[in-house]
Amino acid sequence: MVPARLLPETRTAWAKFDIKSDDWMPLWRHMADSAAVAGLLWDRWLPSNVRSLVAAALPGGMSDARRLAVWLAGMHDLGKATPAFACQVDPLADRMRAVGLEMPSRQMMGRDRRIAPHGLAGQLLLQEWLEVAQGWPARSTGQLAAVIGGHHGVPPDDVQIVDLDRRPDLLRTPGSSEPVWRRVQTDLLEAGADAFGVRSRLADWQTVRLPQPVQVVLSALVIVADWIASNPDLFPYAHVGRTRTDDERVAAAWRGLGLPDPWRPAEPSGPVDELFRARFALPRGAAPRPVQAAAVHLARAMPQPGLMVIEAPMGEGKTEAALAVAEIFAARSGAGGCFFALPTMATSNAMFTRLLSWLDRLPVRDGARLSVLLAHSKAALNEDYSELLRASWQPITAVDLDGDGGDGAGSPPRPGRGNDDRRAAAELVAHRWLQGRKKGMLSSFVAGTIDQLLLAGLKSRHLALRHLALAGKVVVIDEAHAYDTYMNSYLDRVLSWLGAYRVPVVVLSATLPADRRRALAEAYVGVPAGADGFDPVQDTDTYPLLTAVAPGCAPRIVAPAASGRRTEVVLEPIADDPALLADRLVEELAGGGCALVVRNTVDRVLETAQALRERFGAHEVTVAHARFIDPDRAAKDADLLARFGPPGDEAGRDDADGRDDADGPVDRSRPPRHVVVASQVVEQSLDVDFDLLVTDLAPVDLVLQRMGRLHRHARGVGQADRPERLRTARCLVSGAEWKTQPPEPVGGSQRIYGAHALLRSAAVLNAHLDGTSVPVRLPEDINPLVQRAYAGALIGPEAWAEPMQQARAAHDDLQARKHMRAETFRLGAARRAGRPLIGWLSRGVGDADDTRAGLAQVRDSDESLEVLVVQRRADGTLATVDWLADGRGGLPLPTDAVPTSKSAKAAAACGLRLPWHFSRPESIDRAIADLEANYVEAWQVKECHWLAGELILVLDGDRRASLAGYRLDYSDSEGLRVHRDQ
């Protein structure tokens, strides 16, 4: 905008005010800054697939799309030229009154101002101008104007619009000043139409019907542009130093911001084996597994990138296959990044390390900087990510353009993770501006928990930003079988939006039920359940299996060849008695060997470990479960990998691509005899290998996952390096009373999984447990067992029928209630093109995002309490727990001052999720009250962000505490034990 061409009255309208300095920013200036930023975001930061999505909806294609985005960003604060906004600062309001813009005082306006928030006011003013001055039909104006109405995170709803329509005095003061207000508002609208280049296009746009996904990404782009243009460090209210032109002002801000580039990959076109050697450092002479090669060929053959579901056994390299497909999909679609969604923080941390390794090998254009993020609440405690945060630090402030690179086209090079060959690898940065709950997902490459994806289906403030973040990426969903009905309700809705955005998606699973495969495909394509043409997706019985779907294309089914990796597992039911199990393991391990015992509850883990230690000694029994503080949990995982991981250099890799060598090196760290007793933490993402497995009865897919830790790697020809008795893979199944008809699972297992899933699992495994010694063949039997267990048909002996039908009825009732609960705050499906976003987030959860409240909405589980564990020393002062390694143990935590950053961070690392005992309705309030007794006022400040707002559990010098009527004992070898007070 050119101020000289604006009316004098218009130039008095204000947008920003600094109460400390009395500096202010004219409204026209902020509008011009926002438009300029939007143009730079469009040209230099927005992935090309998002730009193409918008362009496809407009008659002038890409040119129209850029103009529309810039214009909407420029006009977003139009509603500040109203009495309801302008009255807030008396000196600035007086300036406006002096030129005829009369308005009541803020005190006189009172609470009525809330009826006219400036976003909604701007929406109605723009709609009025389009209809009256530009001749648009009223029904066409809302789809554009709602972008302005929602630029503070939530589009207005119909009630808000009606309420403001009834109060025109909030938009223009009645009387003699009303025409002056109208002139100012029209002046801004007319000037914007000229300055932002849309004047000649408005007539053609009035017949456009914008799809809702386009409205969402435009809304998000306007929000980002507004946030950047509102940063006074980038766009100061007053000129500092020499006078700058508008172009210099914007260039200085853009250079100071230094946003990293989007990923712009070229499609890898060479042979598949060359691609895998280049990206994943395959050993010399090794070739990709058949599943991996088939996935790449299918990605290249699809008419357009869409949804690919990769189902293959554990250890077949699904992760690497997904990354290879993601690179191809990104190149073909124009995606600018990748998001890898995993079940837990631990699996996200592991994936982040692998993601960085992959990124280091990606070829990119010279000098490219790519933004990366670890997306979960404890990301800053991850060493790889915190290292990137330190190396990537930069001030966010406008820079002097007199130095090198004064065109503002980029940022100076900064230290990062990338190697020294800029032609071969990008500089990876954890960008300072792209931090926090709202903006983090806008980074190009993200590894995080599945919650970060499911939140895209939760009606919450600034949801458009999360949609923009996903719309510009390839999305990979790992362990797709691991989510329940409640989470799947959100996942399916998110997939429907991803399909509408044309976002490529890769889904990974070793044990995916056929009906879930079909539901995922139908959700993505946007067809109703049971749609014609999707029967083959559900009916196929091949395995491994690749399924590909895309809007407008028939599903494609590919059955890759088997890799040759094969194990036969002999199953045997055993009584659920720790003493009998100890006797049996003494017998089985008489000649040495390593056994894994998997229990479904931590209490059963600890009970079993105690019985086994009485027979084997403490040094031959290791415990692993989720009731350890985070550093101890990480140390446990590292220890398991070091001692029970694959031979050679494959250790630490789940789905590893290194190839087993029957004559390879013997793993010297593997103990001659040992028993690991673990909970579900060993089911996934730990590449551990045992000679014998004992497992509680669990849903069949989880039993199969646990079997994937049995004889996982070749140890000598024909497993000759294993003890002779254990060269045949065997799995002992406990956790049930096998003599009853049907078997009766133990109570803890029923509480976690439900009787229905456990009885279906027992029924499909019955042929292998009835004494005939028919082995389970991996991978051949994985798919048949899973599909039979999750199909609707009756299974099992006739004597089991009535109890199983009762369990099924209870299960169906529970699932229906879960689905209904998920509907409460779940985002609706994308509506017809042209339907405005008005009311899009009505009756939502508010400002949730990655908070406890937000995550509780997308996971249907009992509320769990997470605490930070500290220790009280003999003198009564607090300190970090004394057993921490690396100099972090025993650091003082003063209660009358802010602790040192090192001490606070060490304490924050010691997170522990309390067990179910403290989540029950009768105990949770008391537990919270007891924990809040440890509240430290001095820690509740910004400078102590590691500890502020956290619940603190204080252990004494013997690592004990009392909480809500329970005694707690903690051991770095046993974890947390819970005993009821006598």
Side-chain angles (χ1 to χ4, degrees):
M1 287 183 176
V2 179
R5 297 179 184 176
L6 296 173
L7 296 171
E9 302 97 303
T10 305
R11 294 199 293 272
T12 66
W14 62 277
K16 307 284 182 182
F17 175 71
D18 185 347
I19 194 171
K20 294 180 180 179
S21 66
D22 285 339
D23 286 331
W24 65 286
M25 180 177 289
L27 178 55
W28 68 264
R29 163 61 72 192
H30 179 58
M31 294 170 74
D33 288 342
S34 299
V37 170
L40 287 167
L41 290 170
W42 183 275
D43 295 337
R44 303 184 183 183
W45 178 75
L46 205 62
S48 64
N49 66 331
V50 177
R51 288 183 280 137
S52 297
L53 178 76
V54 180
L58 295 164
M62 199 65 72
S63 174
D64 267 5
R66 187 186 190 279
R67 292 185 186 197
L68 178 58
V70 169
W71 178 55
L72 290 173
M75 303 312 298
H76 78 281
D77 267 354
L78 174 66
K80 290 184 175 179
T82 59
F85 177 85
C87 71
Q88 296 179 87
V89 178
D90 289 338
L92 300 181
D94 288 343
R95 288 170 54 93
M96 298 176 69
R97 292 187 184 105
V99 296
L101 292 164
E102 290 297 331
M103 68 191 87
S105 68
R106 178 172 183 171
Q107 291 74 18
M108 291 181 62
M109 189 83 71
R111 298 175 64 89
D112 287 356
R113 287 188 54 255
R114 300 183 181 183
I115 301 174
H118 70 266
L120 174 57
Q123 173 179 323
L124 296 190
L125 292 175
L126 178 60
Q127 288 186 260
E128 177 188 72
W129 180 76
L130 287 173
E131 186 176 352
V132 174
Q134 303 302 314
W136 281 40
R139 66 179 181 276
S140 298
T141 61
Q143 59 186 335
L144 298 184
V147 172
I148 290 176
H151 80 266
H152 278 284
V154 180
D157 59 31
D158 290 320
V159 173
Q160 292 173 292
I161 293 171
V162 170
D163 287 346
L164 183 52
D165 270 336
R166 293 171 176 168
R167 292 294 305 274
D169 58 300
L170 298 175
L171 300 179
R172 304 178 184 103
T173 304
S176 60
S177 68
E178 181 176 356
V180 187
W181 279 107
R182 191 179 297 275
R183 282 201 305 271
V184 167
Q185 295 161 354
T186 302
D187 194 27
L188 289 169
L189 285 159
E190 295 286 345
D194 291 331
F196 308 139
V198 302
R199 173 79 66 184
S200 63
R201 303 303 303 143
L202 290 174
D204 288 341
W205 289 353
Q206 66 177 298
T207 58
V208 166
R209 299 177 65 80
L210 286 184
Q212 283 197 328
V214 172
Q215 298 178 49
V216 174
V217 297
L218 285 172
S219 298
L221 185 64
V222 169
I223 292 171
V224 174
D226 180 30
W227 284 359
I228 294 172
S230 297
N231 186 325
D233 293 324
L234 297 172
F235 291 90
Y237 294 0
H239 292 295
V240 179
R242 65 181 179 85
T243 301
R244 290 171 169 166
T245 66
D246 288 351
D247 288 345
E248 288 173 333
R249 171 185 171 84
V250 173
W254 186 256
R255 181 172 172 81
L257 178 63
L259 279 180
D261 308 305
W263 185 32
R264 299 186 181 94
E267 183 174 353
S269 57
V272 177
D273 56 346
E274 291 183 8
L275 173 63
F276 272 73
R277 274 194 288 272
R279 302 295 186 268
F280 309 113
L282 287 186
R284 182 174 299 175
R289 298 197 190 278
V291 166
Q292 296 171 330
V296 170
H297 291 313
L298 180 57
R300 289 171 170 172
M302 292 175 65
Q304 65 189 63
L307 170 77
M308 182 185 297
V309 182
I310 301 177
E311 298 174 64
M314 300 69 72
E316 284 293 294
K318 293 187 292 294
T319 298
E320 284 72 20
L323 291 172
V325 170
E327 183 176 356
I328 295 167
F329 276 175
R332 295 187 60 197
S333 68
C338 182
F339 172 52
F340 220 106
L342 302 110
T344 65
M345 290 185 190
T347 54
S348 300
N349 287 339
M351 185 62 220
F352 186 68
T353 301
R354 298 172 71 176
L355 185 66
L356 294 180
S357 177
W358 175 63
L359 289 172
D360 277 341
R361 293 187 171 96
L362 280 180
V364 295
R365 58 187 177 85
D366 290 349
R369 299 167 69 240
L370 300 176
S371 54
V372 295
L373 174 77
L374 177 59
H376 61 67
S377 60
K378 295 189 177 182
L381 299 173
N382 177 275
E383 284 305 315
D384 281 331
Y385 186 60
S386 62
E387 176 189 342
L388 275 174
L389 285 172
R390 290 190 296 269
S392 306
W393 189 93
Q394 69 176 80
I396 304 297
T397 184
V399 298
D400 186 353
L401 294 180
D402 291 334
D404 293 339
D407 62 355
S411 294
R414 303 185 184 278
R417 181 188 171 94
N419 64 35
D420 292 333
D421 184 358
R422 292 272 70 82
R423 295 167 300 173
E427 180 187 355
L428 306 182
V429 296
H431 195 273
R432 180 181 170 192
W433 194 82
L434 294 172
Q435 301 297 314
R437 294 184 289 111
K438 302 291 187 182
K439 298 179 291 188
M441 287 288 290
L442 294 169
S443 301
S444 294
F445 292 93
V446 183
T449 55
I450 187 67
D451 311 272
Q452 303 298 329
L453 182 63
L454 300 183
L455 285 169
L458 178 70
K459 291 192 286 188
S460 58
R461 183 176 293 275
H462 290 110
L463 181 64
L465 290 178
R466 191 172 294 272
H467 277 229
L468 176 63
L470 294 172
K473 294 180 176 65
V474 178
V475 173
V476 181
I477 303 169
D478 199 9
E479 307 287 357
H481 57 273
Y483 312 121
D484 64 10
T485 296
Y486 187 92
M487 297 173 73
N488 282 332
S489 293
Y490 277 95
L491 179 57
D492 291 350
R493 182 53 48 83
V494 172
L495 279 174
S496 73
W497 278 90
L498 294 180
Y501 288 121
R502 299 297 192 263
V503 170
V505 177
V506 184
V507 174
L508 308 179
S509 179
T511 53
L512 188 66
D515 60 341
R516 276 304 296 153
R517 182 194 313 129
R518 179 171 186 160
L520 294 170
E522 290 173 337
Y524 181 81
V525 175
V527 299
D532 291 340
F534 281 78
D535 289 347
V537 174
Q538 182 171 355
D539 294 344
T540 182
D541 58 0
T542 57
Y543 188 81
L545 179 68
L546 305 180
T547 307
V549 297
C553 304
R556 305 187 66 171
I557 309 295
V558 174
S563 69
R565 300 170 74 249
R566 189 173 183 276
T567 305
E568 290 192 351
V569 182
V570 176
L571 269 60
E572 178 187 341
I574 62 170
D576 191 60
D577 183 324
L580 293 178
L581 175 62
D583 291 341
R584 180 64 181 271
L585 289 178
V586 167
E587 177 185 351
E588 296 289 350
L589 303 181
C594 299
L596 172 65
V597 180
V598 185
R599 296 307 202 195
N600 291 339
T601 68
V602 177
D603 290 339
R604 284 175 58 78
V605 169
L606 296 174
E607 177 190 25
T608 302
Q610 182 173 343
L612 293 179
R613 285 197 171 111
E614 293 173 0
R615 303 298 299 274
F616 288 88
H619 65 288
E620 289 192 358
V621 178
T622 294
V623 166
H625 54 72
R627 279 193 217 162
F628 286 93
I629 62 173
D630 291 334
D632 291 345
R633 169 83 180 272
K636 285 283 182 185
D637 287 352
D639 174 67
L640 291 175
L641 287 169
R643 292 196 289 167
F644 307 104
D649 59 3
E650 291 182 52
R653 274 285 177 95
D654 188 34
D655 286 355
D657 277 300
R659 298 299 180 250
D660 298 329
D661 184 353
D663 297 315
V666 175
D667 191 345
R668 304 296 180 187
S669 64
R670 192 174 179 86
R673 187 176 79 159
H674 205 87
V675 182
V676 173
V677 189
S679 67
Q680 296 89 335
V681 296
V682 297
E683 281 178 5
Q684 54 198 18
S685 300
L686 273 181
D687 189 10
V688 287
D689 170 29
F690 290 88
D691 305 310
L692 178 68
L693 173 67
V694 181
T695 178
D696 277 350
L697 179 65
V700 71
D701 49 331
L702 303 186
V703 173
L704 292 167
Q705 291 278 359
R706 296 170 188 182
M707 287 184 191
R709 275 61 190 158
L710 179 61
H711 286 212
R712 185 178 180 89
H713 298 284
R715 296 188 180 275
V717 177
Q719 304 289 358
D721 291 341
R722 299 185 191 273
E724 182 176 357
R725 183 182 179 90
L726 305 177
R727 289 172 189 168
T728 296
R730 285 184 294 130
C731 172
L732 311 182
V733 185
S734 62
E737 173 52 70
W738 298 106
K739 295 180 181 179
T740 63
Q741 296 290 323
E744 178 71 18
V746 295
S749 297
Q750 293 194 50
R751 178 173 57 84
I752 293 173
Y753 298 119
H756 171 69
L758 295 172
L759 292 180
R760 298 282 296 190
S761 179
V764 298
L765 294 175
N766 190 49
H768 308 279
L769 288 166
D770 64 358
T772 61
S773 297
V774 176
V776 174
R777 302 164 302 162
L778 304 179
E780 297 98 311
D781 290 337
I782 292 178
N783 195 53
L785 288 171
V786 170
Q787 304 317 326
R788 285 188 64 217
Y790 286 96
L794 292 176
I795 52 175
E798 185 176 345
W800 297 18
E802 183 176 349
M804 291 188 69
Q805 288 174 346
Q806 293 172 350
R808 178 59 180 262
H811 168 82
D812 289 347
D813 179 66
L814 177 63
Q815 302 315 303
R817 286 187 278 117
K818 285 176 178 282
H819 189 79
M820 289 183 63
R821 284 200 299 271
E823 285 293 314
T824 305
F825 297 115
R826 191 176 69 156
L827 184 67
R831 308 293 290 273
R832 68 179 188 274
R835 176 77 176 266
L837 289 179
I838 294 168
W840 188 52
L841 302 179
S842 294
R843 296 180 296 278
V845 299
D847 201 359
D849 287 328
D850 189 11
T851 61
R852 288 173 182 165
L855 299 184
Q857 295 298 336
V858 295
R859 285 186 185 261
D860 183 41
S861 57
D862 293 334
E863 181 181 358
S864 60
L865 297 178
E866 188 168 356
V867 298
L868 301 183
V869 179
V870 303
Q871 207 166 11
R872 192 176 302 280
R873 297 188 290 196
D875 62 2
T877 61
L878 298 182
T880 60
V881 295
D882 56 19
W883 63 90
L884 286 183
D886 303 324
R888 297 178 297 164
L891 298 177
L893 293 168
T895 56
D896 58 353
V898 174
T900 66
S901 178
K902 181 178 181 180
S903 297
K905 184 176 181 181
C910 295
L912 174 68
R913 193 172 296 277
L914 295 179
W916 60 273
H917 310 73
F918 305 100
S919 299
R920 294 180 298 182
E922 63 270 23
S923 58
I924 187 168
D925 289 341
R926 181 178 174 186
I928 292 175
D930 288 354
L931 292 167
E932 288 179 342
N934 299 321
Y935 179 88
V936 179
E937 182 68 37
W939 297 356
Q940 312 307 314
V941 294
K942 182 179 179 181
E943 293 76 15
C944 194
H945 65 91
W946 291 112
L947 304 179
E950 299 292 339
L951 295 172
I952 307 297
L953 176 66
V954 181
L955 302 180
D956 63 21
D958 295 323
R959 306 182 187 180
R960 295 174 179 169
S962 294
L963 183 65
Y966 290 90
R967 288 183 296 107
L968 308 182
D969 295 292
Y970 188 87
S971 161
D972 51 336
S973 60
E974 293 281 300
L976 185 72
R977 285 183 175 272
V978 180
H979 315 272
R980 183 173 288 279
D981 279 341
Q982 300 299 322

